Amino acid sequence: MVSLPHPSVLHGAVSAPCFCCRKGKDQFDNLEKHTQWGIDVLEKYIKFVKERTEIELSYAKQLRNLSKKYQPKKNSKEEEEYRYTSTRAFLATLNEMNDYAGQHEVISENMTSLITAELTRYVQELKQERKSHFHDGRKAQQHIETCWKQLEASKRRFERDCKEADRAQQYFEKMDADINVTKADVEKARQQAQLRHQMAEDSKAEYSSTLQKFNSEQHEHYYTHIPNIFQKIQEMEERRIVRIGESMKTFAEVDRQVIPIIGKCLDEITKAAESVDHKNDSQMVIEAFKSGFEPPGDIDFEDFTQPMKRTVSESSLSNSRGDGKSEPKFGSKSKGKLWPFIKKNKSPKQQKEPLSHRFNEFMTSKPKIHCFRSLKRGGAGPEDFSNLPPEQRRKKLQQKVDELNRDIQKEMDSRDALTKMKDVYIKNPQMGDAASVDHRLAELGQNIEKLRLEVQKFEGWLAEVEGRLPARTEQSRRQSGVYEAQNASGVNSCAQDRESPDGSYTEEQSQETEMKVPATDFDDEFDDEEPLPTIGTCKALYTFEGQNEGTISVAEGEMLYVIEEDKGDGWTRIRRNEDEEGYVPTSYVEVYLDKNAKDS
């Protein structure tokens, strides 16, 4: 007789893991939600930093546009206004604001590279690591559930076999107690009961082994696998928290790094403001507008009780007549610049005119532009600036001489560059024909000679103004410029009508020919042009000192941007940075044009 424990005794021992498995699964769900929330927070911070960088870039762009908007336009009146200390301080402020904008661009670039790019890459790695950990967790959960199902099946089989063995035992006992049953039937029932008991023993052994294995797997699951996975998830989450904290620290450090440079910009603005000198500016205004004329003398009393007679002020009229005799200029407006009560005496009748009549005539007369013997190309005034007061005329002539000297230097630089190119062609014929530059060299020589003649002419006028030379005679005036001789026939009639016998000018309104010169804004039409795009790069083969206007200095081996090719004049236009560009001799640089520029 075999006695087996009832299966219900074992059922309670293995029913607990079901709850544990469910509980573990719930914890994985909670951790999965929490880690996903952490990744969402990280992505939200990345988006915040990205929008901050866009704001910094937009702010920097607006600052640069603002600085550019108020920069003086090239070749315009505004450039002359920046001689004064107050306007120079304003220009320095504009330049510093440009540098200030650059620091905000630095903030944007550093935040993009150190925070946005790094965190974006880290988020991708974090998602992969999270996915791997939860995959391992689900795999372990599925394994323990499979072991649990095997244990349940083994238990049910053991329970079934126990019940079958119990029924077979009861049947055998019943057959054995019945005297009417044959011995063979009793033996058969006994064998069947033994078989069932043996099956129950086998099921018991299998169930016991499965239970032992499950308990081992369960212990390994809850004390080894799951804690390891949870530990990895915890470390992953802690790294995420540390990383976002470090990014916030970097966020502040990026701003802190540019504070010293921004402080220097503000210091330079303050320094520029402190350099404003009102006395110096006032003196510059005085120097710019002083005429050089002597104040008129006193006006004598006119006694109307006696025959009208007025003694002309010796100090004013004699000076003006003396000036007119020593330097009679055709078309000169210098007499019109004299004091309002002094006019050229034309007849005794005019001398006896009351002062009030002459004053009214002066107040009601309109300024006119007279015919000139020597005209500028645009007809805006005499070439020798004789229509200006002495001091203003001297400054204009000096400016013209300086301008011509700069043009001469530019032509000489071009000639030197072509000479070097010719030498290279002579030494290396495969690079080009040396005779091809001879024509250009001859042109440059002629241009230089013409410019030198112009310089001599203007220096002569300048010396005359400064008192180094005697006043020019009529003959010297006729020889002062090719343009005068070419236009003498068209202008002589106007000048002769206005010339009095003594060589000076009359100011009779009926004999003046008005030449109205409409004001144009031609010089300002191209001031707002966009900067030229780069079409390639170049390398400086030699050092070039760009001392003339429009040129730029380069050092040997320096790399620069090309914005305009050589148009045949031997010069290439280049750019070093956004605010520094100019021309260099083409032979001084090696040009590498972009493919798109070559195709176009």
Side-chain angles (χ1 to χ4, degrees), residues 35 56 79 81 104 161 250 354 361 363 428 438 480 496 535:
T35 52
E56 292 290 345
E79 272 195 330
E81 295 173 356
H104 285 277
D161 290 344
T250 305
E361 181 185 348
M363 294 301 292
N428 303 287
D438 289 340
S480 63
Q496 288 171 359
I535 59 174

Side-chain angles (χ1 to χ4, degrees), residues 483-499:
Y483 192 84
E484 292 179 5
Q486 293 174 347
N487 293 278
S489 60
V491 188
N492 248 349
S493 58
C494 178
Q496 288 171 359
D497 290 341
R498 301 174 55 253
E499 192 173 8

